[in-house]
Amino acid sequence: DIQLTQSPSFLSASEGDRVTITCRASQGISSYLAWYQQKPRKAPRLLIYGASTLQSGVPSRFSGSGSGTEFTLTISSLQPEDFATYYCQHLNTYPPTFGQGTRLEIK
Amino acid sequence: QLQLQESGPGLVKSSETLSLTCTVSGGSMSHSQYYWGWIRQPPGKGLEWIGSIYYAGRTYYNPSLKSRVTISVDTSKNQFSLRLTSVTAADTAIYYCAKSDSAYIYDNWGQGTLVTVSS
């Protein structure tokens, strides 16, 4: 199975900050990567797929980039509703796996 | 707008079978070329893909669970189901059903249901 490693695992930031989360794959996955946001006691929400395509309805402050083995999710200016846990997921091969998550908290 | 809702027992005894159903509303499963999947999340931990079923019936399972998992669909009821046999405490998790346009990108999720395996 392809392993995804997210860094950092925990991130403390302030409203208005620009933050970046990294996801590294154990082997090349082209652009077959998605990002999800999960708030406590809620189901995950798809933010980005194809490494950089914004899902409909997702604010433009979210962006994704990368290909191969290294990917990033960037939030350009943190809003209060962005404090959550973020997961990457590869879509390249079966089975799809998720990263371990990055918890983004208010500083 | 499709909505998904999981249902089933919240408590299952060790060694028995976990059975959950996902009811889809707001559209017909039989007219939708989607993949319907199950993903789980142990309390306080990350996400694990269990498997999925294509609307036409083809199934895909996580190799780590394949020997114990069955996913089926009943388009007449607009439902799909998960069966996981021989459960242990390690199967305690929130189970989500979800819909995908393209195999693994899940853009619509149920709210999740907690299943606890007791000894």
Side-chain angles (χ1 to χ4, degrees):
Chain A
D1 297 0
I2 294 174
Q3 308 301 316
L4 297 178
T5 303
Q6 291 182 229
S7 59
S9 295
F10 178 83
L11 181 57
S12 181
S14 300
E15 186 177 337
D17 284 354
R18 177 184 180 92
V19 299
T20 298
I21 299 168
T22 298
C23 178
R24 290 186 173 86
S26 58
Q27 63 189 74
I29 58 172
S30 185
S31 297
Y32 294 104
L33 189 97
W35 289 96
Y36 296 85
Q37 175 194 65
Q38 186 178 32
K39 295 183 179 179
R41 296 172 295 283
K42 297 292 187 183
R45 171 196 181 194
L46 176 66
L47 298 177
I48 287 169
Y49 59 93
S52 62
T53 302
L54 208 62
Q55 171 70 355
S56 175
V58 175
S60 59
R61 63 182 179 272
F62 290 91
S63 63
S65 65
S67 67
T69 61
E70 187 154 333
F71 302 85
T72 59
L73 171 70
T74 298
I75 309 172
S76 60
S77 179
L78 278 172
Q79 298 302 302
E81 61 268 29
D82 300 336
F83 292 95
T85 299
Y86 293 85
Y87 293 94
C88 58
Q89 178 206 7
H90 87 79
L91 318 165
N92 190 54
T93 59
Y94 155 84
T97 54
F98 294 86
Q100 83 280 11
T102 294
R103 186 176 173 186
L104 175 56
E105 290 202 342
I106 301 173
K107 184 180 289 183
Chain B
Q1 172 76 348
L2 285 176
Q3 291 189 316
L4 289 75
Q5 176 70 59
E6 305 89 351
S7 60
L11 188 64
V12 180
K13 292 183 179 179
S14 183
S15 80
E16 296 190 345
T17 296
L18 179 160
S19 295
L20 296 174
T21 296
C22 184
T23 300
V24 179
S25 59
S28 171
M29 292 180 71
S30 60
H31 300 300
S32 306
Q33 296 184 20
Y34 298 139
Y35 293 80
W36 306 97
W38 291 95
I39 299 102
R40 70 180 182 178
Q41 184 172 37
K45 297 188 178 180
L47 299 162
E48 180 182 31
W49 179 78
I50 299 170
S52 64
I53 187 165
Y54 191 44
Y55 83 109
R58 182 172 179 179
T59 52
Y60 307 81
Y61 300 132
N62 192 321
S64 67
L65 299 169
K66 188 173 184 177
S67 63
R68 300 193 292 129
V69 172
T70 303
I71 296 175
S72 59
V73 63
D74 186 340
T75 55
S76 67
K77 295 182 178 180
N78 244 29
Q79 295 176 335
F80 62 105
S81 299
L82 169 70
R83 288 183 76 249
L84 182 66
T85 61
S86 304
V87 297
T88 69
D91 296 308
T92 293
I94 298 170
Y95 286 75
Y96 295 101
C97 62
K99 164 245 169 192
S100 171
D101 286 349
S102 54
Y104 303 134
I105 305 173
Y106 292 101
D107 61 352
N108 198 332
W109 296 61
Q111 65 184 27
T113 187
L114 174 63
V115 179
T116 302
V117 177
S118 68
S119 54

